[in-house]
Each structure stands twice: as C-alpha cells, then as structure tokens.
Amino acid sequence: MSSILKKKAEKILAQADVKIDGDRPWDIVVNDERFYKRALLGGSLGLGESYMDGWWDVKELDAFFFKVLRARLNERVGSLREKIIFYGVKVLVNHQSKTRAFEVGERHYDIGNDLYQTMLDKRMTYTCGYWDKAKTLDEAQEHKLDLICRKLNLQKGQRVLDIGSGWGSFAKYAAKKYGVSVVGVTISKEQMVLARKLCDGLPVEFRLQDYRDIDEKFDHIVSVGMFEHVGYKNYRTYMKVAERCLKDGGLFLLHTIGSNKSVVATDPWIDKYIFPNGMLPSIKQISGAIENLFVVEDWHNFGADYDKTLMFWRANFIKHWPELKSEYSERFYRMWNYYLLSCAGSFRARENQLWQIVLSKNGVEGGYRAVR
C-alpha cells in the first residue's frame, strides 16, 4: 500500500516540479513511510502535522510551498469527507462570535512576548512591512506606519481609533510623530499589558475589548492586521461599527491580508495551530460589507512585500532560538518554522494579498489623492 501511495504522491508533486528524495532545495525527504497516507488523505492538516512530527523534511520550506501553491496542488489533495465536515462546521457556526472572540488572543498572541520581541522589529509590528525604499525590517515597518499616517492625513490633536492595536506600534508612532491621541482595542491580555508599558507617558489608551462594544466618535479609524479574525458572518457588523464610530469627514484605513477567492474558513492547519477561527476576506466579501456605508477612496496591494517580511521574521526566530528553546518545545520550533515559511511561500506564489483600503463615509470633497 505504501508503494502505491508513494507513486501517487510522486505523480502529484511532479506537477509542481517537486521530487521525493531529490537534491534541489524544494525537494522533500521522507523520513517515515506513514507520511504518504497522512498527507494524501489529510490534506493541509496532514501535511503540516506530519512535518511537525518529523515525518518529512525539506531544505527550503518556503521554496517548496511556492512550488506547490503556484501549481495549486492544495486544491487536489485531502479527503472529501474531511473537507465537508471542516467547512460545513464553519458555515453552520459563527466561530468569530463575541463568546469566541478572545480565543485567538489566548492561543496565539498571548503565547509569549519574549517570542515576539525577538522575532519582530524594534517596534513589535506584527504585520506586513512596506519595502518600497526600505533595506531593513525596522525601516520597512517604520515606512509602513508612516504610510498609514499619511494616507489618513493625520493632524495634531485628532483622536484615532486603532481596532486590533497589537503591541501599540501604530499608536506610539502616530502619537509621537503626528501628535494625535489614540484609543487601541485588543483581544490579547499580554499585548495590552506590554503596549501600555511601551506607550507610557503618551496620549494613548489600550483596552481589552471586542470591537462590537465600541460606540464613540473618532476623527479617524485604523485597523492593521485584525480583519483576518472577524469572519465572513461578521464583516457587515464590523463595517457598521466602523461607520458609527467615524466622524463625518474622517477616514478609515483597513489593512488586511486578502484572498483571491471568497472562502468561509481558513486553511485547516493554520486554523488548528496558528490562528484559530481566522479567515481571509476576498474583494467581493469586503465590497459587500461596505456597500452603502463607505466610499472606497483607495485600494493598495503590496502583498509581495509580505514574503520578505516573513523571511526576516523567520531569520530572527532562528537566530534567537537558542535563548527561546528553554521555554518552547522542539515540536513548537518545527510548527513555528512551518508557519512562517509556508506563509512566505504563499505570498510569493501570490496565493494571498495584502491590501490597504482607504474608506470615507460620504466621499472626500474634491477627491482623495492616493499616497504611496
């Protein structure tokens, strides 16, 4: 049976120019014959878990995933029964309801500030950098933050809402460089505690709060890397919250990873191990959610920059692993490595996008001038 499954795997992988036991960086080495059944029947989840268990290896995971996703092999493997059960549950249940909203904070963002402090840039910005003129990760993240501020046309004394404020990188930058006050909301206790320390003395407030409970007015709104946790059942609700909280004449900048197609669930492995209940929106889903609420002033795609950002994060993670491994297991190491490099390969293959969308309530008088 294993030989039959191996031949099937070889045939599928050949469509992406990937060989088993080949000598190229993207060729895989199988360490356990059980890999074939687990990957072929389990799809994404089986592939990821078998890597975590050491059943297969590859010199460059990012290159492997670039090849696989560019050839769309992810659409050709996995048990139909498992797919029906997984996606059926996602359709029937609102996995991003208020009762579940804090789960991703507890299981992902709260796993250890030490991990994120060593992996990220000096400001701890856990979203895509802007590499147009940047040479380092710190520069790319600063340029991204400044790009957001310029797109919003921030003015001294304005009050800004940051939905999904992370460790406070935007709030701190905007308060110091542009003289605004910021209210940041997050579903991560650890993020909130550290963000308050990092922004001490600035006109910045952080709250442990679900976005649906916000009901006050702001000059502008920004949301960077949070919309991926909202879920398709709640996109319209999210936009209604933003609309009611934005003053007339204000701007709302939405920074989100995007999908090339409309989906109702994320990748099963990512859902189980990295971002529980997450989901990537499509252009169609976003446009439907904002209809009759906002005018689209600008839609900027720099998704290819996420590949480079993720590769820098991974390099930092590897560099600092000796000081982290006493707190994290070897299986975590393989899981986190798989997460960062599979995502890098996905963005390189243009499977995912990164959008910055500028919205206004009634249209900017005289027109909005795009900032790059």
Side-chain angles (χ1 to χ4, degrees):
M1 176 63 76
S2 62
S3 61
I4 296 174
L5 293 175
K6 180 179 180 180
K7 288 181 179 179
K8 185 176 181 180
E10 287 176 331
K11 185 177 180 179
I12 293 172
L13 290 172
Q15 297 174 61
D17 188 31
V18 175
K19 294 181 180 180
I20 296 173
D21 298 327
D23 57 5
R24 298 168 300 179
W26 57 84
D27 290 331
I28 70 170
V29 175
V30 176
N31 304 319
D32 191 313
E33 292 293 309
R34 292 176 294 175
F35 158 77
Y36 301 113
K37 182 178 180 180
R38 195 173 185 184
L40 288 171
L41 296 182
S44 165
L45 187 59
L47 185 70
E49 289 183 332
S50 60
Y51 180 84
M52 290 165 61
D53 290 336
W55 290 11
W56 65 281
D57 279 296
V58 61
K59 289 180 181 178
E60 296 181 8
L61 261 172
D62 53 307
F64 166 77
F65 274 102
F66 168 74
K67 289 279 189 178
V68 166
L69 294 174
R70 197 67 174 173
R72 297 189 174 182
L73 296 193
N74 55 313
E75 300 175 4
R76 306 178 197 178
V77 295
S79 162
L80 179 60
R81 178 177 176 274
E82 292 299 320
K83 290 180 179 179
I84 291 173
I85 293 174
F86 178 75
Y87 291 104
V89 170
K90 296 296 182 180
V91 170
L92 294 173
V93 179
N94 183 356
H95 284 265
Q96 298 81 16
S97 64
K98 287 179 71 173
T99 58
R100 295 172 177 263
F102 290 82
E103 184 178 349
V104 68
E106 295 167 355
R107 289 179 52 191
H108 185 83
Y109 299 104
D110 288 350
I111 60 176
N113 284 330
D114 56 343
L115 170 65
Y116 293 109
Q117 283 174 312
T118 55
M119 186 180 82
L120 304 177
D121 64 301
K122 64 182 180 182
R123 289 188 170 87
M124 294 188 71
T125 312
Y126 194 24
T127 49
C128 183
Y130 188 51
W131 291 92
D132 184 38
K133 297 178 182 178
K135 295 181 180 180
T136 68
L137 182 60
D138 285 340
E139 288 179 352
Q141 295 296 11
E142 181 173 331
H143 292 181
K144 187 267 298 296
L145 294 174
D146 197 65
L147 181 69
I148 292 172
C149 293
R150 290 186 290 117
K151 284 184 175 182
L152 290 172
N153 190 27
L154 295 187
Q155 302 296 316
K156 186 176 182 179
Q158 290 181 331
R159 188 166 181 253
V160 181
L161 171 63
D162 183 357
I163 305 177
S165 48
W167 289 278
S169 61
F170 168 79
K172 185 175 183 178
Y173 185 86
K176 291 184 69 174
K177 299 291 185 179
Y178 286 84
V180 299
S181 62
V182 182
V183 172
V185 297
T186 178
I187 42 78
S188 167
K189 294 178 181 178
E190 294 298 322
Q191 283 188 332
M192 181 186 67
V193 171
L194 184 54
R196 286 174 174 174
K197 291 180 180 178
L198 295 174
C199 295
D200 185 46
L202 293 172
V204 174
E205 174 190 355
F206 293 104
R207 306 171 184 169
L208 190 67
Q209 183 178 34
D210 184 84
Y211 69 90
R212 282 161 282 213
D213 295 328
I214 310 168
D215 191 11
E216 52 195 287
K217 293 292 186 179
F218 296 87
D219 294 294
H220 300 291
I221 299 175
V222 64
S223 184
V224 185
M226 178 272 177
F227 196 63
E228 300 90 333
H229 302 305
V230 170
Y232 80 105
K233 289 180 179 289
N234 308 299
Y235 290 154
R236 184 67 174 178
T237 298
Y238 177 92
M239 292 300 176
K240 286 182 177 179
V241 170
E243 193 274 340
R244 82 180 180 215
C245 291
L246 183 65
K247 291 182 180 179
D248 292 341
L251 294 173
F252 169 31
L253 186 142
L254 179 68
H255 173 118
T256 181
I257 298 172
S259 173
N260 293 331
K261 60 182 179 181
S262 298
V263 298
V264 297
T266 192
D267 171 87
W269 185 85
I270 290 286
D271 181 74
K272 183 175 180 178
Y273 290 99
I274 306 299
F275 294 115
N277 308 323
M279 190 179 305
L280 301 184
S282 68
I283 290 175
K284 180 181 179 180
Q285 289 169 326
I286 293 175
S287 64
I290 65 177
E291 186 173 333
N292 205 35
L293 293 175
F294 290 108
V295 173
V296 178
E297 300 290 357
D298 187 35
W299 197 304
H300 182 189
N301 183 357
F302 53 98
D305 285 17
Y306 228 139
D307 176 14
K308 196 168 185 177
T309 303
L310 283 154
M311 294 305 290
F312 267 85
W313 288 348
R314 193 262 181 169
N316 286 341
F317 173 63
I318 297 297
K319 178 182 177 181
H320 293 283
W321 178 247
E323 62 201 71
L324 292 169
K325 64 181 182 180
S326 62
E327 300 294 328
Y328 302 90
S329 68
E330 283 297 319
R331 195 166 192 264
F332 176 89
Y333 172 83
R334 290 183 69 88
M335 179 192 78
W336 206 252
N337 198 49
Y338 189 88
Y339 153 52
L340 295 173
L341 292 179
S342 64
C343 288
S346 179
F347 281 100
R348 193 177 308 163
R350 301 311 306 279
E351 180 81 3
N352 296 328
Q353 311 305 323
L354 189 285
W355 298 320
Q356 280 192 355
I357 309 166
V358 179
L359 306 169
S360 67
K361 291 177 76 168
N362 299 301
V364 175
E365 290 189 24
Y368 178 86
R369 299 294 178 262
V371 176
R372 298 289 185 266

